[in-house]
Structures are given as C-alpha cells and as structure tokens.
Amino acid sequence: MAKFCIVLFMLFLVAYMPCALSLHTKKNTAKKLTTKKKETVTNLQFYFHDIVSGKNPTAIQVARSPNTEKSPTLFGAIMMADDPLTQGPEPNSKLVGRAQGLYASAGQTELSLLMAMTFSFIDGAYNGSCISILGKNSAMSPVRELPVVGGTGVFRLARGYAIAKTHWFDGSTGDAIVGYNVTVLH
C-alpha cells in the first residue's frame, strides 16, 4: 500500500508541475514585447552531400525496427548525419557548413523521410549561425519543400522554407547530393 501511495504521489507531481510552471510563466511573460527592428529575408543556396557507403560515410544507421529490412522503403530506419554543405555540387567544392541531425524513414508505401536537421554555417557573414529544418521529405519527388523552424546567430528567430532537389543519387549505394534553396525570415 505504501508503494502505491508513493507512486500515486509521484504521478500527481508529474501531472501538477507543468501546470504550475506554465501558470507561473504566463504571469511573468504577460508584458507586451515590441521590437523596432525589421525582419530580413535571406536566400541561401548550397549542396548537401549524404554519403552512406564507403570507408568514411557521413550518415550512419543508428536504429531500425525488426521489419525494416523487409520494407521496400526501409520503414523504421533512423540515420544520424554529419553531412558537408558545399557551394557547388562537386564533392570538392568549397565547404560552407555541415548538416547535422537525423532523418528517419517514416513512410510505409513511399520513401518519405522525417528530417530533423541543423544546417550550421562556417563561412562568410553566416559563420557560426545555423538554421533548423523539421519536416517531411518525400525523397523520390523531384522537388520537396521543408519548413525552417528556427535558427541561431544571424538567423535567430528564423522561419521560412527550404526547397530541395536531388542533384545526384546512386540507387545501389544510397549516396546522394541534394541542392537546397532556402528562404529565411529572421
């Protein structure tokens, strides 16, 4: 009985704490915030190199379901990536940043990836800044649109969209080069 009471008390605390915290937060953030700075629109173009084969892959599988290998879309596979972002489509093109995060095969009947990626820039005016992408990537569609849901540095409070187009894909290895055209409001 004592264990039951302790568990019940813990459940109460878990349920109550977010409510108490949100009430407290709402009281403290009720002030109206104003800003005089206008938003900036920035357009970025770069290439994403996703290499899953060879001795030095830039993306590796970190999890899968027991049925992933039986699925034509590899449903349930989760990949962790640290992919180079380059100025041009050539692998030896100037490095402008890294795409770091994960993508997972979320479609049972089509190759659709759930992408949670941060594009971190290391060049020019955007050095040290990043944008975050979170959304569905219908990988076999010629053109895909993904949401930009945030950013840091120059891109603080960013929102926008990214248009992805496959530049090159090797069906036997899964390696790909994808062109990105990103419009960001910040």
Side-chain angles (χ1 to χ4, degrees):
M1 182 69 175
K3 287 183 182 179
F4 175 76
C5 289
I6 292 172
V7 170
L8 189 59
F9 179 72
M10 295 300 283
L11 287 173
F12 171 77
L13 281 179
V14 169
Y16 178 74
M17 288 305 286
C19 295
L21 289 174
S22 69
L23 289 174
H24 179 42
T25 302
K26 287 179 185 176
K27 288 179 186 175
N28 289 337
T29 59
K31 298 176 188 173
K32 186 176 180 181
L33 299 174
T34 59
T35 179
K36 294 180 182 181
K37 188 174 180 181
K38 292 188 179 189
E39 287 186 310
T40 301
V41 177
T42 301
N43 292 307
L44 304 165
Q45 293 182 331
F46 50 84
Y47 289 84
F48 172 101
H49 298 259
D50 192 53
I51 309 301
V52 296
S53 68
K55 291 181 180 183
N56 297 311
T58 61
I60 59 169
Q61 189 176 97
V62 294
R64 66 182 184 152
S65 81
N67 296 323
T68 296
E69 295 302 321
K70 298 175 191 170
S71 168
T73 62
L74 297 176
F75 179 65
I78 301 174
M79 306 291 287
M80 186 63 64
D82 184 7
D83 293 337
L85 301 176
T86 61
Q87 193 169 43
E90 303 80 18
N92 61 351
S93 182
K94 181 179 180 181
L95 185 70
V96 296
R98 310 257 349 146
Q100 297 170 321
L102 59 91
Y103 58 91
S105 181
Q108 292 185 45
T109 58
E110 71 162 319
L111 183 57
S112 61
L113 306 173
L114 168 62
M115 295 190 66
M117 288 279 186
T118 298
F119 295 158
S120 301
F121 300 100
I122 61 168
D123 186 56
Y126 310 122
N127 185 17
S129 299
C130 56
I131 58 174
S132 295
I133 305 287
L134 175 66
K136 178 184 176 184
N137 181 347
S138 297
M140 300 312 286
S141 296
V143 178
R144 289 93 66 196
E145 183 175 333
L146 296 111
V148 172
V149 297
T152 64
V154 172
F155 300 119
R156 186 174 292 139
L157 298 176
R159 65 189 187 285
Y161 63 95
I163 301 296
K165 296 180 184 177
T166 301
H167 176 76
W168 172 81
F169 176 71
D170 184 335
S172 64
T173 64
D175 295 347
I177 299 172
V178 180
Y180 275 85
N181 186 333
V182 181
T183 301
V184 184
L185 281 76
H186 55 97

